[in-house]
């Protein structure tokens, strides 16, 4: 299937999830992430703040866990049509932007490029690690600049079934996908 069709199908599937399902699936995704990757103190993790109206995975549990384990937490913010990475702390103040996304008030880009993990929002990911997002390309541009050692991890409610047919040369695949039921690795030799 092509991205536009996949985007439509998975936006609809996600819209049909109940609050209880979102909570339960988000908890399982969090648990699978922690059990598989075992994040430790001092690591740097970039993670998104969910868009509630799109029923995105609730990442607050991740953020609370990371901060309580002395893991540096960074979140995206769009400034001048570019995704920057802002470090957050338990007392960081947030505002809601024009897209309904909660962002830190600060516009200070951390400049960090050597994240241990980037936990990425998506609508769908296929068995090759190709992702379908909202079509703006923010994460592909962001991925171009981070360290090669950074693990790019998608989180999704749904398994990787259908293949994305219209992958283009600037699409940067994920290294892993975490769902409520499994962790898939797209790295060769894993």
């Amino acid at each position: 299937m092509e991205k536009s069709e996949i985007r439509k199908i998975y936006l609809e599937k996600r819209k049909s999830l109940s609050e209880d399902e979102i909570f339960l699936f988000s908890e399982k995704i969090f648990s699978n992430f922690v059990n598989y990757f075992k994040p430790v103190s001092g690591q740097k993790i970039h993670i998104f703040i969910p868009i509630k109206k799109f029923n995105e995975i609730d990442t607050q549990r991740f953020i609370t866990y990371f901060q309580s384990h002395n893991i540096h937490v960074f979140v995206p913010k769009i400034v001048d049509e570019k995704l920057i990475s802002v470090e957050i702390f338990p007392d960081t103040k947030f505002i809601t932007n024009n897209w309904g996304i909660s962002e830190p008030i600060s516009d200070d880009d951390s400049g960090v490029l050597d994240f241990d993990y980037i936990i990425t929002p998506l609508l769908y990911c296929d068995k090759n690690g190709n992702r379908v997002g909202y079509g703006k390309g923010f994460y592909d541009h962001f991925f171009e600049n981070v360290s090669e050692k950074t693990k790019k991890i998608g989180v999704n409610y749904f398994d990787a079934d259908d293949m994305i047919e219209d992958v283009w040369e600037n699409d940067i695949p994920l290294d892993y996908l975490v769902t409520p039921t499994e962790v898939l690795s797209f790295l060769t030799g894993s």
Side-chain angles (χ1 to χ4, degrees):
M1 277 194 288
E2 295 197 349
K3 289 180 187 178
S4 58
E5 187 180 355
I6 290 172
R7 191 171 286 120
K8 188 176 172 186
I9 289 168
Y10 283 91
L11 270 171
E12 200 54 44
K13 278 185 170 194
R14 202 195 281 161
K15 192 193 284 187
S16 72
L17 294 173
S18 70
E19 282 187 32
D20 287 344
E21 287 173 314
I22 291 167
F23 176 80
L24 181 64
F25 293 158
S26 295
E27 288 290 306
K28 287 181 176 180
I29 290 166
F30 165 77
S31 179
N32 286 344
F33 175 87
V34 169
N35 290 331
Y36 189 91
F37 294 103
K38 300 177 180 18
V40 295
S41 175
Q43 287 185 318
K44 293 176 270 197
I45 300 180
H46 185 279
I47 187 166
F48 65 98
I49 304 288
I51 305 173
K52 299 266 190 240
K53 68 181 179 184
F54 291 149
N55 285 351
E56 287 189 334
I57 289 150
D58 183 357
T59 57
Q60 188 55 54
R61 174 86 185 261
F62 287 80
I63 292 168
T64 302
Y65 177 89
F66 297 154
Q67 289 177 333
S68 71
H69 286 77
N70 298 314
I71 294 167
H72 300 279
V73 180
F74 302 83
V75 296
K77 181 168 184 176
I78 305 302
V79 176
D80 298 328
E81 297 301 310
K82 180 183 172 216
L83 189 153
I84 65 166
S85 183
V86 178
E87 187 168 9
I88 62 166
F89 305 91
D91 62 349
T92 297
K93 302 281 186 261
F94 287 80
I95 56 170
T96 302
N97 71 15
N98 298 338
W99 293 306
I101 303 169
S102 185
E103 295 180 321
I105 291 173
S106 171
D107 284 348
D108 292 336
D109 188 345
S110 67
V112 171
L113 298 175
D114 63 338
F115 300 100
D116 293 280
Y117 306 108
I118 297 175
I119 300 174
T120 309
L122 52 88
L123 288 167
Y124 181 75
C125 177
D126 71 14
K127 293 183 185 219
N128 292 327
N130 299 306
R131 61 183 282 281
V132 175
Y134 297 109
K136 302 282 187 203
F138 289 124
Y139 274 89
D140 287 314
H141 294 299
F142 186 54
F143 289 162
E144 286 174 355
N145 298 308
V146 299
S147 164
E148 288 181 14
K149 293 180 181 177
T150 298
K151 302 286 186 268
K152 299 174 293 300
I153 301 166
V155 288
N156 199 9
Y157 300 120
F158 310 107
D159 294 330
D161 294 320
D162 300 310
M163 295 307 287
I164 300 168
E165 295 169 3
D166 57 341
V167 175
W168 62 293
E169 63 187 41
N170 292 331
D171 287 346
I172 298 176
L174 297 170
D175 299 314
Y176 296 90
L177 173 67
V178 181
T179 72
T181 58
E182 64 183 343
V183 176
L184 288 176
S185 171
F186 307 113
L187 299 173
T188 358
S190 8

